[in-house]
Amino acid sequence: MKPNTTLASLRYLSGYPPQIQHQALALIEQGRLAAYLLDKYPEAHQVRSERALYDYVVEMKNRTMRKAPPVNKVLWDSKLHVIRNALGTHTFQSKVHGSKLRSSHEIRIGTVFRTAPDGFLRMIVVHELAHFKEKEHNKAFYNLCCHMEPDYHQLELDMRLYLTCLELGQKLY
Ligand SMILES: [Zn+2]
């Protein structure tokens, strides 16, 4: 493995303190990153179709954010992983239909999560659902994420380690 490849692949961890980046780098250099992830997350989820994804999102929304407006559309989006750091998107539109104002919520999840452990998909869905209430990535937003998924921060770190693995050409599932 070329060292510059290794450093470039750490872009997914650029928001973390140096200590965490060094630990990740050590795992990569020792060739243990994939094993670390597979040990914690032995299997991929089975949510493959768009219908299954829609049901997954709606079920989670009804369990955690019952009062929020309904989700209209849920899609796997193959373009999302191309734009680094946009792993999912949530769009809200208000349209005037005659005299009525209708809102629509659409969630797109990067296809990179179609073959991934359930925890990573859950973390991304929680993130996008939290945007129903908080548009910004502020403290209230992350409090909401942790309320819906207590392990949110650990899952995000592991999910970024997983993307790092893929970047290094190691397919796990
Ligand atoms: Zn966000």
Side-chain angles (χ1 to χ4, degrees):
M1 192 184 301
K2 290 177 204 144
N4 55 350
T5 311
T6 306
L7 283 173
S9 67
L10 284 177
R11 70 171 135 237
Y12 293 110
L13 301 170
S14 61
Y16 289 90
Q19 196 198 347
I20 293 208
Q21 296 192 34
H22 288 145
Q23 282 173 355
L25 201 57
L27 279 174
I28 293 167
E29 283 169 354
Q30 293 158 11
R32 285 171 46 222
L33 184 58
Y36 165 82
L37 288 168
L38 279 171
D39 187 51
K40 272 181 103 167
Y41 308 95
E43 293 176 352
H45 63 72
Q46 292 301 318
V47 185
R48 297 294 156 85
S49 69
E50 231 143 49
R51 175 74 222 185
L53 181 64
Y54 176 83
D55 290 344
Y56 184 92
V57 170
V58 168
E59 192 275 329
M60 193 178 294
K61 186 207 161 268
N62 288 342
R63 194 153 33 88
T64 57
M65 300 183 73
R66 189 170 289 278
K67 287 177 189 159
V71 185
N72 303 86
K73 211 171 173 186
V74 184
L75 303 167
W76 291 116
D77 192 330
S78 63
K79 292 184 209 103
L80 283 181
H81 74 282
V82 178
I83 313 157
R84 306 288 171 193
N85 283 323
L87 305 168
T89 60
H90 166 235
T91 45
F92 171 76
Q93 282 184 316
S94 290
K95 280 185 192 156
V96 180
H97 289 261
S99 59
K100 283 184 186 149
L101 186 69
R102 275 196 207 158
S103 65
S104 91
H105 283 270
E106 181 184 297
I107 287 178
R108 290 172 182 260
I109 309 284
T111 41
V112 69
F113 298 107
R114 200 170 183 169
T115 314
D118 179 63
F120 301 168
L121 175 63
R122 196 166 69 240
M123 180 253 131
I124 293 292
V125 170
V126 160
H127 183 106
E128 298 311 328
L129 286 174
H131 277 312
F132 271 61
K133 284 195 180 165
E134 291 289 339
K135 304 289 175 238
E136 306 296 323
H137 293 143
N138 54 23
K139 197 161 191 293
F141 174 83
Y142 286 108
N143 283 344
L144 193 53
C145 288
C146 291
H147 173 72
M148 287 193 271
E149 171 51 65
D151 231 11
Y152 181 86
H153 291 297
Q154 183 65 50
L155 285 171
E156 178 167 358
L157 174 57
D158 288 345
M159 178 276 288
R160 289 178 177 279
L161 289 172
Y162 172 61
L163 294 180
T164 305
C165 243
L166 293 181
E167 187 81 7
L168 294 169
Q170 290 178 291
K171 210 165 175 266
L172 302 194
Y173 306 97

